[in-house]
Amino acid sequence: MEVPFFPTLFITCKTWALRQPFFPTLEDWLVNHPKIYEFSWNNGKTPASSHRFLTLTVLTYISFTFILSQVSRPTLARPVLKSITAVHNIFLLTLSFIMALGCLVSIFSEVPNFNTLVCFPRGKSPTGPLFFWAYIFYLSKIVEFVDTLLIILSNSMKRLSFLHVYHHSMVVIMCYMCLDSAQSSFAMVLVTNCVVHVVMYTYYLFCALGMRPKWKKMVTDFQLLQFWASFLIMAMLVFYHFTGAGCSGILSWCFNAFFIVSLLFLFSDFHAKSYSSSSNKVKGA
């Protein structure tokens, strides 16, 4: 049994992509490279794959964030801080673009149909190109901890909200669980998240360079849209799970469902407080 419309859309997009003259080159670089094609996630053996590493990494991030936000901190010259921030944003927006492209090419190259994309069969092992890009995605979420350090060094403590710390710490756990359980549908979530992050880090880069784009609200709107898309993807996973032979990683899906619901609530609250108050100020001016 299939979800209507999406299988046809998937085949149409896949057929179009495979016909492009540049696709074989992208496939060679982003799918068939031996390091990518032969990737295998082995808990405790693959770098950064042990439960101990995950636990210590998240606890260290939360502890250091709390400590550094409470004590007196070294101050960097503003030009130096801006330069570091700009380099950090360039790195992450470039990496996000490569991850989105790599995962998308892997989907079109490796996944035969929409059903398989949403619902990996039970017993699926986390190997191959899709899981390579999931692994890079997981590591990138640890690199994103630098976002918090830059906020602290810039003394922009209003930006160091519960939402910020909660999001950065929990998303690492989510990515780890997706890899460790070979969770179904993660590839679509990865692509949508990376596309949003390209937009987000481009905005932050402009800010670091002294420009203030007028599309700040669009960044938050994109994030909210991403969460709603994740809901749709998770709903389709449940549909395929209970109308077929079952999907891989359904238990980690439960954790991710809770996490995304909580993020949607927190981001919606942030959106309402940030932009409703702004519009009220404009009306009262």
Side-chain angles (χ1 to χ4, degrees):
M1 192 171 182
E2 287 190 338
V3 174
F5 174 69
F6 290 102
T8 303
L9 178 63
F10 175 78
I11 292 299
T12 302
C13 293
K14 179 175 179 176
T15 303
W16 177 85
L18 294 177
R19 288 176 178 172
Q20 302 310 305
F22 53 80
F23 188 85
T25 302
L26 291 176
E27 194 175 32
D28 285 342
W29 291 349
L30 304 173
V31 179
N32 294 329
H33 188 284
K35 293 286 186 181
I36 299 175
Y37 195 79
E38 298 170 7
F39 173 80
S40 179
W41 168 272
N42 295 302
N43 191 300
K45 295 181 179 179
T46 304
S49 67
S50 69
H51 293 153
R52 178 181 295 178
F53 175 86
L54 175 68
T55 303
L56 289 176
T57 298
V58 174
L59 288 179
T60 300
Y61 166 71
I62 294 172
S63 300
F64 269 78
T65 299
F66 176 77
I67 293 170
L68 289 175
S69 64
Q70 299 299 316
V71 301
S72 57
R73 300 168 296 277
T75 55
L76 293 176
R78 192 171 182 80
V80 174
L81 185 59
K82 280 191 171 185
S83 298
I84 295 173
T85 303
V87 170
H88 174 68
N89 290 328
I90 290 171
F91 175 77
L92 283 176
L93 78 86
T94 304
L95 181 60
S96 296
F97 176 79
I98 293 172
M99 288 189 294
L101 183 62
C103 192
L104 203 57
V105 173
S106 299
I107 288 171
F108 292 143
S109 177
E110 298 282 306
V111 181
N113 52 55
F114 184 75
N115 190 326
T116 306
L117 178 62
V118 176
C119 179
F120 294 146
R122 288 180 183 270
K124 172 77 173 176
S125 59
T127 60
L130 284 176
F131 288 96
F132 171 83
W133 292 112
Y135 178 61
I136 300 301
F137 186 68
Y138 161 62
L139 296 179
S140 76
K141 296 305 170 187
I142 298 174
V143 175
E144 286 180 14
F145 287 170
V146 176
D147 291 355
T148 307
L149 178 61
L150 292 173
I151 288 174
I152 292 172
L153 291 177
S154 66
N155 289 315
S156 304
M157 302 311 291
K158 287 183 179 180
R159 293 169 55 201
L160 193 63
S161 61
F162 170 79
L163 169 59
H164 176 93
V165 178
Y166 174 74
H167 172 256
H168 277 271
S169 55
M170 293 292 283
V171 76
V172 174
I173 300 173
M174 183 192 77
C175 293
Y176 181 94
M177 293 179 68
C178 284
L179 273 164
D180 209 44
S181 65
Q183 185 184 308
S184 301
S185 78
F186 79 85
M188 289 188 290
V189 175
L190 188 158
V191 172
T192 56
N193 182 270
C194 286
V195 170
V196 170
H197 276 67
V198 169
V199 176
M200 183 181 77
Y201 283 110
T202 300
Y203 173 82
Y204 289 154
L205 174 61
F206 281 133
C207 292
L209 295 175
M211 295 175 275
R212 286 287 175 181
K214 296 181 179 180
W215 37 275
K216 178 182 179 182
K217 181 176 178 292
M218 186 181 73
V219 176
T220 308
D221 289 341
F222 272 11
Q223 289 172 313
L224 289 173
L225 184 62
Q226 174 205 338
F227 298 140
W228 285 113
S230 298
F231 273 128
L232 178 61
I233 294 166
M234 290 189 299
M236 288 189 289
L237 190 156
V238 171
F239 174 81
Y240 280 122
H241 180 75
F242 287 106
T243 59
C247 301
S248 175
I250 195 67
L251 291 180
S252 64
W253 172 91
C254 295
F255 172 85
N256 291 351
F258 166 79
F259 176 55
I260 291 174
V261 168
S262 65
L263 279 184
L264 180 61
F265 172 79
L266 291 169
F267 268 96
S268 297
D269 182 63
F270 168 79
H271 186 281
K273 289 179 179 176
S274 298
Y275 301 112
S276 294
S277 59
S278 297
S279 61
N280 289 337
K281 285 178 183 178
V282 170
K283 289 177 182 178

